[in-house]
Amino acid sequence: TCLTRLEAGEKNPKIRSGLVAILLRIGDSKTADLLWRIAQEDNYLRLAIESKLVDLKSDLPKEQWRLRLKGGESRESLNLVACKGLAIVGDISDAAAFEAIIKDDTRSTPMRVCAAEGLAAIDPAKAVALAESMGSDNNFEEGTERWDRWLAIVRLLKENNTDTALGLTIKAFAEGSDAARTDAFKHLSNIWLERAVSLLDVAKKDREANVRLEAVRHLDLHFDGEAIIRLAELVADNNPRVRMAARDALLKHAEEKMWSEAIQGKVTAALQSQKWWEVEQAAIMVASLKMTSAESQLFSLLKHERSDVYIAAAWALRVVAESPEILQKILDYAKEKTDYIFQSSVLMDPE
């Protein structure tokens, strides 16, 4: 078995790697001691094993992680694992190391942001004080490769709900990087609901797709009549992840009787949009909601210039078409297209 062979000291590197991979997939905390012993003997497997030990919240590597954060390791990946691990199993004595990393401008943004998360976890008061200091410090250039000040500030604040934290979070949303604005809006949504609502229209038009995804998440969690309007607008978003998330949120709430009619009305309107990607999503929603009333509109979309749209419409018609008139039109159209394809002298794509 895996345990027996590894405990016996399997020497073949490929076999050992395969056996360790099995244990990592299983993720049993009972194997942590064995995995840690192997990690100390095999540099090739160390990163994968330590990452799993972080997931298992094991404190076995704690002392090595502490040494590493003091400058004992040059590999960024191992330093990041140490930082993540100490954020979970560390204590107040690690606060100074985290703070030193945050202030060290030779460190990368991922490392400094990770240290911010660690400090927020083990010493929230010091984290907020540092965030406030950083928020008023203009000595750092935003957008540089090694520093994302506002992202670090938001991570330092974590779930803090003070007025100071609110002010810094709003400033991060206004001035920060794409990642900082995403985290800032999520923080606002989780802690200061009213302020998040006031910024929703800004968030759903943000240039960064992840910010708009956070707006979708907020609207889904705090669903009402206004959310229907905003989510319907986001179904027309130019990013596929955003429009699919908005679509799925509307479909989920359409199962609630009080919202069903309003959502179906938005879907019907979207079928007439000038944006093909919005029409495609609307056709998918028609099928999911089994909107038989939209069968005529779907049939007209079979002649749309975009294959994405007419394929979605054809799929939806298979679900909702039921009137004899529409069914006959579909058969006639299918025969017409089939005859055209097979009678053509040029090889054509059946699509």
Side-chain angles (χ1 to χ4, degrees):
T1 65
C2 287
L3 287 172
T4 302
R5 295 187 67 169
L6 287 171
E7 286 172 345
E10 175 61 55
K11 299 299 182 184
N12 186 298
K14 289 186 177 179
I15 295 176
R16 184 172 60 248
S17 296
L19 295 174
V20 167
I22 293 171
L23 292 186
L24 294 178
R25 281 198 298 270
I26 295 171
D28 189 344
S29 59
K30 295 177 182 178
T31 64
D33 286 309
L34 174 60
L35 287 171
W36 177 232
R37 189 167 73 245
I38 295 170
Q40 295 176 86
E41 299 169 353
D42 192 326
N43 284 329
Y44 177 75
L45 295 171
R46 175 168 291 185
L47 179 60
I49 291 175
E50 287 194 21
S51 298
K52 177 54 68 175
L53 292 176
V54 171
D55 294 340
L56 295 174
K57 299 180 180 179
S58 171
D59 65 355
L60 290 170
K62 182 163 63 174
E63 294 309 317
Q64 284 207 22
W65 286 342
R66 283 173 169 160
L67 289 172
R68 200 177 292 166
L69 291 190
K70 292 178 181 178
E73 176 58 58
S74 60
R75 285 171 289 180
E76 174 91 344
S77 56
L78 287 175
N79 286 328
L80 279 170
V81 169
C83 193
K84 292 174 182 176
L86 283 179
I88 297 171
V89 302
D91 55 44
I92 198 73
S93 67
D94 298 303
F98 283 134
E99 186 173 2
I101 292 171
I102 295 167
K103 293 179 176 179
D104 185 351
D105 61 9
T106 67
R107 298 276 194 163
S108 67
T109 282
M111 193 67 198
R112 296 169 84 177
V113 169
C114 183
E117 294 172 349
L119 185 59
I122 65 174
D123 194 340
K126 180 173 283 189
V128 173
L130 181 57
E132 186 173 3
S133 172
M134 290 166 57
S136 60
D137 186 351
N138 295 316
N139 292 328
F140 299 99
E141 287 186 43
E142 296 303 326
T144 61
E145 182 181 351
R146 288 193 168 275
W147 188 224
D148 190 338
R149 177 165 60 113
W150 285 113
L151 179 59
I153 288 172
V154 175
R155 298 290 174 86
L156 281 167
L157 296 171
K158 203 177 179 184
E159 299 302 315
N160 191 280
N161 61 0
T162 63
D163 289 342
T164 297
L166 172 59
L168 288 170
T169 304
I170 290 175
K171 200 169 182 182
F173 180 66
E175 301 179 15
S177 65
D178 292 349
R181 294 197 313 282
T182 301
D183 272 26
F185 188 78
K186 183 176 183 178
H187 195 175
L188 288 167
S189 180
N190 290 340
I191 307 296
W192 299 282
L193 181 58
E194 290 185 4
R195 297 308 298 264
V197 170
S198 70
L199 292 169
L200 264 174
D201 288 329
V202 177
K204 73 183 183 66
K205 295 177 182 178
D206 194 277
R207 67 173 185 267
E208 168 58 29
N210 285 321
V211 176
R212 305 198 299 276
L213 279 170
E214 281 302 320
V216 172
R217 184 187 71 87
H218 175 95
L219 292 166
D220 183 19
L221 289 174
H222 307 284
F223 197 83
D224 56 17
E226 287 296 315
I228 293 176
I229 296 171
R230 289 185 168 111
L231 285 170
E233 292 170 350
L234 285 163
V235 168
D237 195 273
N238 60 11
N239 183 283
R241 289 190 301 138
V242 176
R243 59 179 180 259
M244 289 169 66
R247 176 199 72 197
D248 291 344
L250 285 171
L251 287 176
K252 182 177 79 173
H253 291 285
E255 296 176 4
E256 303 168 41
K257 189 175 180 180
M258 67 183 297
W259 305 122
S260 179
E261 185 177 348
I263 291 173
Q264 289 194 28
K266 289 296 183 183
V267 173
T268 301
L271 286 172
Q272 303 172 50
S273 171
Q274 297 301 307
K275 299 176 180 178
W276 67 262
W277 53 89
E278 183 179 7
V279 178
E280 177 195 25
Q281 295 304 314
I284 293 170
M285 294 176 76
V286 166
S288 297
L289 297 172
K290 295 180 171 56
M291 292 171 55
T292 56
S293 60
E295 59 180 7
S296 295
Q297 285 178 282
L298 288 175
F299 180 76
S300 66
L301 291 175
L302 292 178
K303 300 177 182 179
H304 198 280
E305 61 182 7
R306 290 284 308 196
S307 61
D308 314 68
V309 173
Y310 63 68
I311 290 172
W315 174 74
L317 279 169
R318 292 181 60 188
V319 178
V320 304
E322 60 177 23
S323 69
E325 179 184 358
I326 289 295
L327 290 171
Q328 187 59 53
K329 284 185 176 181
I330 292 171
L331 287 172
D332 292 344
Y333 184 73
K335 183 177 184 302
E336 175 189 334
K337 296 297 289 184
T338 302
D339 290 346
Y340 177 72
I341 290 170
F342 285 102
Q343 291 174 11
S344 175
S345 58
V346 180
L347 184 62
M348 300 180 64
D349 185 345
E351 187 184 59

